[in-house]
Amino acid sequence: MIESILTKFSDRFISKWLILVFDVFIVLLTYPIAVFIKNNFDFLLMRDASFGIEVALILGFTYLLSFLYNESYKGIIRQTGLRDAFLIFKASTFGFAALLLITYLIDSFKVIQVNVSRNTLVLHYLLTLLSLLAVRFMIKSAYLNFKKSTNGLRRIRVIIFGSGSMGELTRQTLAKEVTKHYEVVAFLDDNTSKNGKLQDGIPVLKPDLALNKEFIQSKRIHQLIIAVQNLSLERKKQLIETGMELGLKVKVVPPAKTWIQGALTSKQIKNVRIEDLLEREPITLDSTNVRKELNGKVILITGAAGSIGSEILRQVIYYKPKKLIALDQAESALYDLSYEIKATVEKLGVQLEYIIADITNEQRMNLLFSKYKPQIVFHAAAYKHVPLMEEHPYEAVRVNVFGTKLLADLSVEYVVHKFVMVSTDKAVNPTNVMGATKRIAEMYVQSLSQCSNCATHFVTTRFGNVLGSNGSVIPLFKKQIEAGGPITITHPEITRYFMTIPEACNLVLEAGAMGNGGEIFVFDMGESVKILDLAKKMIQLSGLVLGKDIEIVFTGLRPGEKLYEELLADKENNLPTHHHKIMKAINAEIDYEMLTYQLKNLEEKFHNGDDFSLVAAIKQIVQEYKSNNSVYSKLDK
């Protein structure tokens, strides 16, 4: 009966005027209790106290005016928060101060005869304040418990890492959630001075004592929430790994700057992503060199709508170039990019032109260079998908080789100050068409640096896989997990290097600024990651069980695919630079005349349309290119 009534009226709100009347009633009710306490709980001594209509009117009217002025009665009781509590405190304090003044004036001018002591008023004020707050928070608590019980919610038992202000705010946020029933079992904190203490009745424990199988099972813990903002990446990864091993769902409280309207909600407490486990310490760059290089310059970015090109564009904008030219043949992607960065471009006052064109179109590229006369070119346009380029070597040669050659030649012709080419680790000891064509592009760019009458400085940057890029293994695994599997991996021992897109582009800008021409800069990619381990962790993070909910299937290496990627060729060494994340590859000089002759031969094969003769010509240029698991392997014999 009661439950049905509560259900019927649970979505309705009490009138603010009714709340005002109730608050005044509390004021009147607590006065005799204050007198009783003042007189040591002796009813006989209470006979001398005033309980007449005059006292009731003075008390009720004074507090009524204070409540009206401070609007403490307007809050929704079931959603009472700290701001509401402060308004009640403010209104009660104003009413108490006014009563002290009124009773002083009554005693001084003997207007009416009332016997109200100051001590009684102090007790009354404290009782009123406590009662008003207690009633509100009790109703709020009862409402939340009622909603959770009627919704039949499963209790989710949580431990929170971090007992500071962020941890407490997380606890309060979870307590307000009505669509899920969270129960915070413990706080975990590395600060040993807090261990063993209680925070709002919840124990603060040493992480080692709680993050073990015995504690997790005995307390039936479901989730670990990391609520520390300035946690080191190493410690964060350690907590995530431990939580995953214990079968917990691990979540992270996002930075305060990302909160919607400055408030944290339970929906913003996100599940840990695989990117969090692959994340590395942020790179700190001295942007002075980059700013000096880019500020006030005309800059052309090819492949500007791609994952790397678009991030280079985003970062270059903040150095306030004179003009930016964003070039790409992908119409929709370029439009989306222009819409995304429109506000930033307008705010910084940067001139930005979007050009839809093919980098292999000589007439279009010539017109572009003659019209805009770029001073710096970031060349990120390329075909990069290994299996597709293995099937279509014509396109790989057309774009990766001759597209790059055209842009490089035009840069020399129009006296571009610096040409920065974005290359790949697959150009090192290539085993596929894509990597080999990128290596030829590297070689040609290097050879131009040795040309005595070339004023352009040619710089090459080389790095491995970037997280979140188009075609990356992580988005693929996510789609496969969402579809219920299986996850497909080419080989159980395959490994790859990973770097975030902003990190890679940061280093591209820094390497471009430090380059004097002819260098190949290699980035520190950290430790290589076993793709099988990556897939297993993604399954765990998705709350699934390998072998039960989802399977991993090995499909065999794809044509041209390597087990292990390399950043340096066999004949290369590296030298350190002023930035510890950037190394300079030392490699043999490229004979410009010989390479030009070989490229003419490649062009002849290119126009013949025979894939095998084309790939054979590529192999003549890149001696270390040995096909792997490919139809072109017979050419190596």
Side-chain angles (χ1 to χ4, degrees):
M1 176 70 177
I2 295 175
E3 186 174 305
S4 62
I5 294 172
L6 287 172
T7 302
K8 182 178 179 181
F9 293 100
S10 64
D11 292 327
R12 299 187 185 181
F13 299 94
I14 300 172
S15 165
K16 61 183 179 180
W17 304 116
L18 189 58
I19 293 172
L20 180 62
V21 170
F22 179 77
D23 288 350
V24 173
F25 172 73
I26 291 289
V27 169
L28 298 176
L29 179 66
T30 51
Y31 181 71
I33 299 173
V35 174
F36 185 48
I37 296 172
K38 166 66 174 56
N39 290 287
N40 297 319
F41 305 97
D42 189 336
F43 284 105
L44 295 177
L45 295 175
M46 292 178 66
R47 288 178 299 179
D48 298 330
S50 296
F51 288 106
I53 190 68
E54 298 91 347
V55 173
L57 285 173
I58 292 170
L59 283 172
F61 191 68
T62 303
Y63 272 94
L64 174 66
L65 290 178
S66 182
F67 292 151
L68 286 168
Y69 176 74
N70 290 285
E71 298 184 336
S72 60
Y73 61 95
K74 288 186 176 181
I76 299 173
I77 292 182
R78 70 182 66 169
Q79 295 174 3
T80 300
L82 290 177
R83 181 170 174 78
D84 298 305
F86 176 73
L87 285 176
I88 292 167
F89 166 76
K90 187 178 172 184
S92 300
T93 304
F94 271 51
F96 168 61
L99 273 176
L100 288 178
L101 178 63
I102 290 169
T103 53
Y104 172 77
L105 293 174
I106 289 173
D107 287 346
S108 299
F109 297 102
K110 307 294 183 185
V111 180
I112 55 175
Q113 186 65 36
V114 290
N115 181 22
V116 180
S117 71
R118 305 289 187 276
N119 291 341
T120 303
L121 289 180
V122 170
L123 279 171
H124 174 254
Y125 161 68
L126 295 174
L127 284 171
T128 299
L129 177 60
L130 181 65
S131 300
L132 290 173
L133 290 174
V135 168
R136 278 166 167 76
F137 281 108
M138 285 172 62
I139 291 173
K140 176 184 176 180
S141 179
Y143 172 77
L144 289 175
N145 288 330
F146 164 72
K147 288 293 287 184
K148 290 172 183 177
S149 62
T150 53
N151 289 342
L153 300 176
R154 180 178 72 91
R155 186 169 296 187
I156 302 171
R157 295 171 67 83
V158 173
I159 48 177
I160 299 175
F161 181 84
S163 61
S165 57
M166 192 64 70
E168 177 58 25
L169 184 59
T170 302
R171 184 198 66 78
Q172 293 173 9
T173 301
L174 296 178
K176 294 175 186 175
E177 180 59 61
V178 295
T179 59
K180 293 181 180 178
H181 191 178
Y182 289 102
E183 181 184 352
V184 179
V185 176
F187 288 102
L188 313 184
D189 208 298
D190 286 332
N191 188 342
T192 54
S193 63
K194 291 185 177 182
N195 298 158
K197 296 182 179 178
L198 295 177
Q199 183 167 308
D200 198 25
I202 298 170
V204 180
L205 305 176
K206 189 177 179 181
D208 294 345
L209 295 176
L211 291 175
N212 59 73
K213 198 169 185 179
E214 183 180 352
F215 180 87
I216 297 300
Q217 289 182 348
S218 63
K219 299 295 183 181
R220 303 188 307 282
I221 308 298
H222 303 109
Q223 290 185 13
L224 165 65
I225 298 177
I226 300 173
V228 178
Q229 298 295 292
N230 58 349
L231 197 62
S232 70
L233 280 175
E234 185 180 352
R235 181 63 172 139
K236 182 180 176 182
K237 289 177 187 177
Q238 185 184 31
L239 287 167
I240 294 171
E241 294 274 8
T242 304
M244 288 168 58
E245 288 171 7
L246 292 169
L248 300 176
K249 180 173 279 190
V250 186
K251 295 189 173 185
V252 178
V253 176
K257 64 182 179 182
T258 65
W259 297 354
I260 299 171
Q261 296 182 339
L264 178 66
T265 64
S266 62
K267 290 181 180 178
Q268 291 173 293
I269 302 175
K270 299 294 185 183
N271 292 334
V272 165
R273 305 169 305 148
I274 192 63
E275 289 87 346
D276 295 317
L277 283 170
L278 296 174
E279 190 178 2
R280 307 194 303 179
E281 292 293 344
I283 294 175
T284 52
L285 291 178
D286 179 6
S287 60
T288 307
N289 289 339
V290 180
R291 186 173 301 280
K292 190 186 299 182
E293 186 79 11
L294 304 180
N295 184 252
K297 303 286 177 60
V298 179
I299 299 171
L300 167 65
I301 300 173
T302 71
S307 50
I308 297 296
S310 62
E311 181 59 28
I312 291 175
L313 181 67
R314 291 184 193 96
Q315 293 189 21
V316 167
I317 287 170
Y318 287 96
Y319 292 102
K320 295 188 176 179
K322 180 181 178 181
K323 184 185 281 288
L324 258 175
I325 302 108
L327 169 67
D328 206 294
Q329 64 175 346
E331 175 200 12
S332 297
L334 202 60
Y335 173 79
D336 292 341
L337 176 66
S338 68
Y339 186 81
E340 176 198 335
I341 63 175
K342 183 180 179 182
T344 304
V345 171
E346 291 175 352
K347 180 182 176 182
L348 296 174
V350 176
Q351 290 187 54
L352 179 53
E353 298 255 1
Y354 297 97
I355 306 293
I356 298 173
D358 185 341
I359 63 167
T360 64
N361 187 320
E362 187 174 353
Q363 184 182 4
R364 285 279 284 143
M365 291 303 102
N366 218 320
L367 286 170
L368 187 146
F369 272 79
S370 64
K371 178 180 179 180
Y372 295 105
K373 295 181 172 56
Q375 294 163 282
I376 297 173
V377 174
F378 288 99
H379 176 41
Y383 281 136
K384 62 182 182 180
H385 290 280
V386 171
L388 284 175
M389 292 304 100
E390 205 69 10
E391 292 180 19
H392 304 282
Y394 177 91
E395 288 299 317
V397 170
R398 184 180 71 86
V399 174
N400 294 354
V401 177
F402 293 121
T404 300
K405 183 179 183 299
L406 175 59
L407 292 172
D409 290 341
L410 288 171
S411 295
V412 172
E413 182 181 342
Y414 288 93
V415 198
V416 169
H417 171 63
K418 191 167 284 186
F419 182 99
V420 182
M421 175 184 165
V422 176
S423 190
T424 170
D425 56 359
K426 293 175 178 63
V428 181
N429 296 324
T431 59
N432 51 68
V433 169
M434 190 281 283
T437 54
K438 290 295 284 184
R439 178 56 191 150
I440 295 174
E442 285 185 358
M443 292 167 68
Y444 188 73
V445 163
Q446 278 183 281
S447 72
L448 287 175
S449 296
Q450 296 158 29
C451 178
S452 58
N453 59 348
C454 295
T456 305
H457 299 287
F458 288 93
V459 177
T460 300
T461 60
R462 185 192 285 168
F463 52 90
N465 300 277
V466 286
L467 296 173
S469 69
N470 298 326
S472 171
V473 70
I474 291 175
L476 172 63
F477 285 174
K478 284 179 179 177
K479 289 178 182 177
Q480 290 177 336
I481 289 171
E482 288 170 3
I487 290 179
T488 55
I489 300 176
T490 56
H491 194 283
E493 297 301 321
I494 196 166
T495 65
R496 289 293 181 266
Y497 291 101
F498 287 98
M499 177 181 278
T500 66
I501 293 176
E503 182 181 17
C505 295
N506 245 330
L507 292 176
V508 168
L509 297 184
E510 179 71 15
M514 73 168 72
N516 294 313
E519 304 98 336
I520 293 182
F521 288 110
V522 180
F523 298 164
D524 174 12
M525 298 293 295
E527 297 294 324
S528 63
V529 177
K530 199 171 182 178
I531 301 300
L532 177 58
D533 293 340
L534 185 72
K536 287 178 179 178
K537 286 175 182 176
M538 289 185 70
I539 290 170
Q540 281 184 290
L541 290 173
S542 302
L544 303 176
V545 178
L546 177 62
K548 179 182 176 184
D549 303 314
I550 197 167
E551 299 291 341
I552 292 177
V553 175
F554 298 106
T555 58
L557 288 175
R558 296 175 297 178
E561 190 171 36
K562 288 183 181 181
L563 272 182
Y564 314 105
E565 297 292 6
E566 306 161 88
L567 292 172
L568 289 171
D570 293 338
K571 297 179 182 178
E572 292 177 341
N573 293 308
N574 65 74
L575 290 175
T577 67
H578 72 262
H579 195 286
H580 69 284
K581 293 278 188 180
I582 303 175
M583 298 165 289
K584 186 164 69 172
I586 304 298
N587 45 60
E589 288 190 359
I590 307 297
D591 186 325
Y592 173 75
E593 298 297 334
M594 175 59 76
L595 182 59
T596 303
Y597 172 78
Q598 290 174 322
L599 287 175
K600 285 182 179 177
N601 178 54
L602 180 67
E603 190 172 4
E604 288 178 12
K605 305 299 182 187
F606 174 75
H607 290 301
N608 288 342
D610 178 64
D611 287 347
F612 274 85
S613 61
L614 183 61
V615 174
I618 295 172
K619 289 179 180 288
Q620 286 180 356
I621 301 173
V622 185
Q623 296 290 316
E624 66 272 23
Y625 168 30
K626 305 297 178 187
S627 296
N628 185 28
N629 191 35
S630 169
V631 293
Y632 305 116
S633 297
K634 64 179 70 174
L635 295 173
D636 298 322
K637 296 176 182 179

